[in-house]
Amino acid sequence: MAISRIKKLELIGLKRDKERILALLQKLGTIQLIEEQGPAFAQGIAGSDSLSPSLLEIQDAISVLSVFQKPTAMLGGMIKPKPLVYRQQLKEVIELFDYQNLLQELSCLRNHLKELSQHKERLIQERYLLSPWRKLEIPLDQVSYTEHCGILLGIAGIRDYPKFQEELTAAGLNLYCQLLNADKANAYMVIFYLKEEIGGLETTLKAHRFNFITLTRHPDTAADRLLEINTQGLILDDQIEEIKDKIRNLSLSCFKLMVTYDHLANIRRIGEADGILVKQQFTFSLSAWIRERQVRALEKAMAAEFKEVALFISDPVPGDEVPVELENNPLVEPFEFITKIYGFPKYSEIDPTPYMAPFFFLYFGFCVSDAGYGIILTLLSWLVLKRFRMGPQGSRFFKLFLFCGISTILVGALTGSWFGNLPDLLAQYSKAFLPFKNFKDSLIILDPMKEPTKLLGIALCLGIIQVWFGNTVAAIGNIKNRRYLDVFLDQVPMLTFLFGLTGMALVFLKLLEPLRTPVFQYAALFAAVALILTQGRSEKGLGSKLFYGVYNLYSALSGYLSDVLSYSRLWALGLVTGVMATTINLISVQFSQIFLSVIPFVNRVAILKVIVSSIILVGIFICGHLVAFFMNLLGAFVHPVRLQFVEFFSKFFKSGGRPFRPFKVETKYINIG
Amino acid sequence: MEIGLAFAVAGAAIVMAISGVGSAIGVALAGQAAGGVMTEDPEKFGRMIPLIGIPGTQGFYGFLIGFLVLNKLNLLTAQIKIPNLYQGLQIFAICLVVSLVESISAVWQGKVSVASIYMVAKRPEEAGKALVLPIFVEIYAILGLAAAFLLLLGVKI
């Protein structure tokens, strides 16, 4: 229940066995190689570097093909379970599948697709440029000079156009100007002019900021060319669809590509591991971390296959940066999900998971606090766990929610909330539900609607308990690391201080008889003085020591207050669920009656009335509770997690541990079954 | 002289409507950001949906509070309870102030959602962490709802 004990392993073997040893180690997956910065230079197994570009290609191909596959992701893409592959299938694919061929084919198709798409783009561009000139009657390649005349196309501002017209006529030039098209901003025109008059024309044109336009030359007119572009576009679209279909066909082999990728990636990992080894002329050596409980299995496996291998097991030396792995009993294990979000504790320190688990379990239930929602959550998690095979991460996640669902059912039953006040409503509606209501009432120890303040008190008490516990765990951590003096100088005064303060507060709130007050006051005073004296001990200089002592005293005081008050969020979340659930019930009942009176026809016919009103009622009930369920679920997860991290872990957690990452067969795309 | 009733109903209307306004703005901000991300990569739709929906909860809370007021006044039945002027003002004040917290927190939660959406766009594997960020703002809306509920409990008509 805690951090796995890790041993150091040193292995010396013959060079000729090196690759097979590495393959066996990867298969066992129980050691983490220590990177040596030894004198022997590292060179990967020949050929492993040449694998890298092809791995990238395969990865690229997989992402392209996945776009073309039919989506099979769960929950709208939020969770993508990896497909499960059995070892036999694995072998078949690796031996028979020609991935190079597929990659080449795919590459060909993609290039072709790119060409076609670019062509299409060009056509669209051309169409965009040509379409204002549809009405030009002369073929495009005749828009140039004849013997005496010139033809030009251009755009002027539409507002400017009348004035422009006037000026042209006033200039008295021999020209023909036709307005071909006009839109909100521009006037498109063609001008036929005499070459010798180009000077005068140009001045007028420039004065009106005339934009000269050149169109690509074609033997057709603009209109004909546009038609042709459209036809070509359609042909291109068909071709593009064809190619996409071919790629879609290829995407059926995406799965095999994924298997190949994982296989090749693992081979590359062996190559990388090889680079870490210290090599001599005939032998090589490696050092690694291994979990204590797996040493025996490794020794056996090695002995079974290799006769000339030497293994040395030793304990880590203080000062080593030992990697950390958490191991806990199956009830606590799902809560490691939460610890891992925060980070890993140092190897010598404590694993907070077993201490945090019961609190989180309770708080989650407290926040959702509705037995009906708890039942839904438990059922959903259980179904997902049963139906889908997931890796350890996924199954830990859903197991966590399974447990928390049970907690929710418990807390909901104890506060009498089953989808809000549903049992009460049902009992009102018909006597048949009365025994259920009585059963539910018998379980209630506190009704949040009737006594919200008491519930607040409970939430704050939970806070006080956890803060005390946090300090206690810090003491445990110090004892484990033989920092006995720290226990006396830090935890003991702090705990006494908290004890004294809490006592004084309880007396003040008239929850305890005032007789005991002196005990609390003296405790608090004594502890305060002790804190002032001890908290500054790592500083230099008397002034600094005192200052830090007082400062720490103050922060202990205000910190305690703010920590405990932070737990009122549990109360708020729990209360709100009850309010929401009850209100949804109310809304569904009332709306089903109101809407009935609005629809005139239905009101007369009794049976229709019943049917429609039940449909409305059930509809609003289901939708409303689903929405409330998900909203509460998110909040009920995040806020207890925040409480654990900020109010609990901060008291004792020393992060900075590195996770234990064994050298093993890793799969990015598939799960091996 | 049913001015108390007028104030109470006005309060209910205000809290329902203004919380909805805040939620609408918050959700719209998130939706715009999501639209931008999806033009580049439509695959991310599934991961965006909860981020877009989260600022919407405040409108729901406002509606709930309004409904609690309506229930208190028995407004949807034949016998409406008429509050006197002071009770009406109490209800009005509660509703007005809570509508502030719901609407403003919804707008800011929308902004956090936008940041989360951009985060998911660059690093889709961190969708879980991105989802956690807007939830921290949610707690204040929840406190607002709890506050309204408790205060309304105290108004005795």
Side-chain angles (χ1 to χ4, degrees):
Chain A
M1 269 235 309
I3 301 181
S4 311
R5 290 176 55 86
I6 307 246
K7 294 263 191 212
K8 204 169 195 177
L9 166 77
E10 277 172 50
L11 183 151
I12 304 181
L14 290 177
K15 228 177 173 179
R16 65 158 194 250
D17 290 332
K18 180 172 58 128
E19 287 182 31
R20 291 190 305 138
I21 292 183
L22 279 178
L24 177 63
L25 285 174
Q26 192 184 43
K27 193 169 127 197
L28 287 173
T30 51
I31 66 164
Q32 176 177 342
L33 293 166
I34 304 178
E35 317 239 330
E36 291 280 312
Q37 260 112 27
F41 64 87
Q43 210 177 39
I45 294 182
S48 74
D49 275 347
S50 71
L51 278 180
S52 300
S54 114
L55 273 180
L56 279 174
E57 272 173 34
I58 303 184
Q59 199 175 351
D60 198 27
I62 293 179
S63 49
V64 166
L65 287 179
S66 319
V67 173
F68 280 89
Q69 270 183 325
K70 276 191 296 226
T72 51
M74 274 201 323
L75 297 181
M78 283 227 73
I79 306 179
K80 282 198 178 72
K82 298 187 198 166
L84 190 63
V85 186
Y86 294 103
R87 289 194 190 272
Q88 279 166 320
Q89 273 179 299
L90 210 70
K91 274 191 121 160
E92 273 172 30
V93 172
I94 294 172
E95 281 159 22
L96 299 175
F97 180 53
D98 183 4
Y99 71 94
Q100 304 270 23
N101 195 7
L102 184 81
L103 287 181
Q104 266 178 2
E105 241 187 274
L106 183 64
S107 182
C108 237
L109 285 174
R110 283 174 75 188
N111 283 337
H112 201 181
L113 186 65
K114 202 150 104 172
E115 271 173 41
L116 290 177
S117 307
Q118 280 174 347
H119 193 185
K120 180 120 196 275
E121 267 307 303
R122 283 198 295 271
L123 285 181
I124 295 183
Q125 266 295 73
E126 217 190 313
R127 180 167 65 193
Y128 178 71
L129 285 173
L130 266 189
S131 50
W133 307 100
R134 277 187 309 273
K135 296 208 189 122
L136 185 61
E137 288 160 4
I138 56 173
L140 288 170
D141 57 0
Q142 288 184 14
V143 180
S144 78
Y145 301 102
T146 62
E147 209 185 312
H148 297 284
C149 299
I151 313 177
L152 55 82
L153 301 171
I155 309 181
I158 186 74
R159 286 183 218 174
D160 215 19
Y161 183 65
K163 240 176 117 193
F164 179 64
Q165 276 280 46
E166 274 176 35
E167 272 196 41
L168 276 186
T169 21
L173 302 165
N174 288 313
L175 49 74
Y176 172 66
C177 170
Q178 182 188 9
L179 180 70
L180 291 173
N181 198 359
D183 61 30
K184 271 187 283 198
N186 299 315
Y188 303 82
M189 53 191 124
V190 59
I191 304 184
F192 297 78
Y193 60 95
L194 282 180
K195 278 195 204 169
E196 51 215 27
E197 294 182 341
I198 184 72
L201 181 60
E202 275 191 343
T203 20
T204 328
L205 293 181
K206 289 217 175 84
H208 288 272
R209 281 188 278 216
F210 191 78
N211 262 331
F212 294 88
I213 297 281
T214 338
L215 297 175
T216 32
R217 311 176 74 89
H218 275 287
D220 304 318
T221 60
D224 285 341
R225 177 70 189 145
L226 281 171
L227 271 178
E228 208 194 304
I229 289 180
N230 279 338
T231 352
Q232 270 193 12
L234 288 173
I235 298 180
L236 275 180
D237 279 337
D238 278 339
Q239 287 177 322
I240 290 180
E241 262 317 298
E242 237 184 84
I243 296 198
K244 283 195 177 164
D245 273 335
K246 287 200 189 137
I247 298 186
R248 222 162 271 142
N249 271 335
L250 283 186
S251 75
L252 295 172
S253 309
C254 187
F255 167 72
K256 293 195 190 148
L257 260 187
M258 292 190 200
V259 170
T260 315
Y261 177 88
D262 278 331
H263 173 71
L264 290 177
N266 280 317
I267 293 185
R268 190 175 71 164
R269 274 187 206 103
I270 295 189
E272 282 169 2
D274 184 85
I276 299 177
L277 307 179
V278 177
K279 301 184 188 77
Q280 308 290 347
Q281 200 180 13
F282 294 111
T283 61
F284 75 96
S285 79
L286 61 80
S287 31
W289 301 111
I290 181 170
R291 279 164 290 189
E292 191 177 27
R293 65 170 197 260
Q294 288 171 324
V295 170
R296 195 51 81 69
L298 183 83
E299 285 176 334
K300 267 169 106 167
M302 277 287 153
E305 258 198 70
F306 303 101
K307 301 298 169 208
E308 290 119 335
V309 155
L311 296 170
F312 302 98
I313 311 281
S314 57
D315 279 321
V317 192
D320 273 342
E321 243 193 78
V322 187
V324 170
E325 189 181 75
L326 305 175
E327 78 190 16
N328 285 297
N329 70 50
L331 281 182
V332 172
E333 202 234 336
F335 295 90
E336 285 173 16
F337 179 78
I338 299 174
T339 312
K340 289 195 176 146
I341 298 179
Y342 193 73
F344 279 84
K346 283 217 173 85
Y347 179 69
S348 52
E349 302 288 339
I350 326 177
D351 172 15
T353 319
Y355 303 112
M356 177 260 291
F359 286 105
F360 184 81
F361 178 77
L362 182 60
Y363 294 170
F364 189 94
F366 206 84
C367 287
V368 183
S369 78
D370 186 285
Y373 293 169
I375 293 176
I376 297 181
L377 184 61
T378 319
L379 276 177
L380 268 180
S381 317
W382 186 72
L383 277 173
V384 169
L385 279 173
K386 253 202 143 190
R387 261 214 68 201
F388 297 98
R389 297 276 317 264
M390 287 171 285
Q393 277 278 70
S395 71
R396 200 178 293 150
F397 180 76
F398 282 102
K399 270 208 198 117
L400 179 65
F401 275 106
L402 183 71
F403 289 172
C404 291
I406 297 177
S407 163
T408 315
I409 299 179
L410 285 173
V411 175
L414 289 176
T415 54
S417 179
W418 301 74
F419 290 108
N421 59 356
L422 184 63
D424 297 337
L425 290 176
L426 286 176
Q428 267 178 8
Y429 175 66
S430 116
K431 290 278 187 288
F433 291 101
L434 215 44
F436 181 45
K437 174 175 180 332
N438 290 334
F439 167 68
K440 158 220 155 205
D441 280 339
S442 66
L443 291 171
I444 300 184
I445 57 173
L446 177 69
D447 188 345
M449 297 295 181
K450 300 208 182 75
E451 298 172 294
T453 331
K454 240 193 189 168
L455 201 68
L456 174 60
I458 294 181
L460 293 179
C461 282
L462 287 175
I464 294 179
I465 294 174
Q466 194 165 30
V467 170
W468 284 40
F469 192 59
N471 281 304
T472 318
V473 174
I476 296 178
N478 282 333
I479 292 177
K480 181 181 177 202
N481 282 289
R482 296 167 207 250
R483 299 192 286 255
Y484 299 115
L485 197 59
D486 280 357
V487 175
F488 280 109
L489 295 181
D490 284 330
Q491 269 75 53
V492 169
M494 180 67 91
L495 282 170
T496 325
F497 186 56
L498 297 182
F499 169 71
L501 277 181
T502 318
M504 281 168 32
L506 287 176
V507 168
F508 178 73
L509 291 170
K510 306 210 181 44
L511 292 166
L512 269 186
E513 328 109 41
L515 267 141
R516 311 284 180 134
T517 331
V519 177
F520 298 128
Q521 284 174 334
Y522 283 127
L525 198 59
F526 174 69
V529 170
L531 280 174
I532 296 181
L533 291 176
T534 60
Q535 290 307 302
R537 64 185 184 278
S538 52
E539 299 295 316
K540 300 201 167 52
L542 188 60
S544 266
K545 286 191 203 277
L546 270 181
F547 175 71
Y548 272 99
V550 175
Y551 175 71
N552 274 315
L553 173 68
Y554 168 71
S555 63
L557 178 63
S558 67
Y560 184 49
L561 191 64
S562 88
D563 284 348
V564 171
L565 285 178
S566 212
Y567 282 77
S568 57
R569 74 187 62 222
L570 294 177
W571 168 71
L573 283 165
L575 194 64
V576 153
T577 318
V579 170
M580 279 210 268
T582 315
T583 317
I584 290 172
N585 292 341
L586 210 55
I587 292 180
S588 53
V589 165
Q590 299 220 350
F591 274 32
S592 67
Q593 288 164 352
I594 298 174
F595 282 133
L596 229 41
S597 55
V598 169
I599 312 171
F601 174 65
V602 173
N603 222 356
R604 316 262 181 76
V605 184
I607 187 109
L608 262 184
K609 199 166 159 183
V610 171
I611 293 180
V612 173
S613 74
S614 0
I615 294 178
I616 297 180
L617 192 149
V618 171
I620 298 184
F621 183 84
I622 293 182
C623 292
H625 279 294
L626 269 179
V627 172
F629 174 62
F630 280 111
M631 287 189 327
N632 276 300
L633 202 61
L634 281 173
F637 182 75
V638 173
H639 289 286
V641 165
R642 175 223 171 280
L643 284 174
Q644 302 304 318
F645 288 172
V646 178
E647 270 84 28
F648 186 56
F649 281 15
S650 59
K651 303 279 182 298
F652 62 87
F653 194 93
K654 308 230 189 310
S655 61
R658 281 184 312 139
F660 180 74
R661 288 216 196 290
F663 169 59
K664 62 175 184 176
V665 174
E666 283 179 32
T667 54
K668 184 170 168 178
Y669 291 109
I670 59 175
N671 273 330
I672 303 189
Chain B
M1 293 303 287
E2 295 175 354
I3 193 162
L5 182 64
F7 272 116
V9 172
I14 286 178
V15 76
M16 286 198 203
I18 296 193
S19 315
V21 167
S23 262
I25 299 179
V27 171
L29 286 171
Q32 287 169 328
V37 168
M38 287 198 288
T39 32
E40 292 291 313
D41 186 359
E43 287 296 297
K44 299 220 167 69
F45 183 56
R47 277 174 270 218
M48 299 282 164
I49 295 184
L51 286 170
I52 303 176
I54 281 195
T57 53
Q58 274 88 340
F60 199 63
Y61 296 160
F63 183 78
L64 244 54
I65 298 173
F67 198 83
L68 284 174
V69 170
L70 285 163
N71 202 39
K72 206 174 184 56
L73 301 170
N74 278 348
L75 211 66
L76 297 169
T77 62
Q79 290 143 316
I80 306 181
K81 288 196 197 150
I82 315 261
N84 66 37
L85 174 62
Y86 298 107
Q87 289 162 342
L89 280 176
Q90 284 170 357
I91 296 181
F92 183 74
I94 296 170
C95 290
L96 183 64
V97 174
V98 169
S99 73
L100 270 182
V101 78
E102 300 290 343
S103 59
I104 297 182
S105 74
V107 172
W108 283 96
Q109 194 174 39
K111 296 192 188 186
V112 175
S113 281
V114 168
S116 294
I117 288 175
Y118 289 151
M119 187 175 133
V120 171
K122 286 259 168 85
R123 290 181 180 272
E125 67 276 8
E126 303 291 6
K129 293 189 186 150
L131 192 55
V132 166
L133 295 176
I135 298 193
F136 284 108
V137 184
E138 181 93 10
I139 186 70
Y140 297 101
I142 292 185
L143 281 177
L145 176 61
F149 174 66
L150 290 172
L151 289 166
L152 281 175
L153 267 186
V155 176
K156 309 241 183 295
I157 303 184

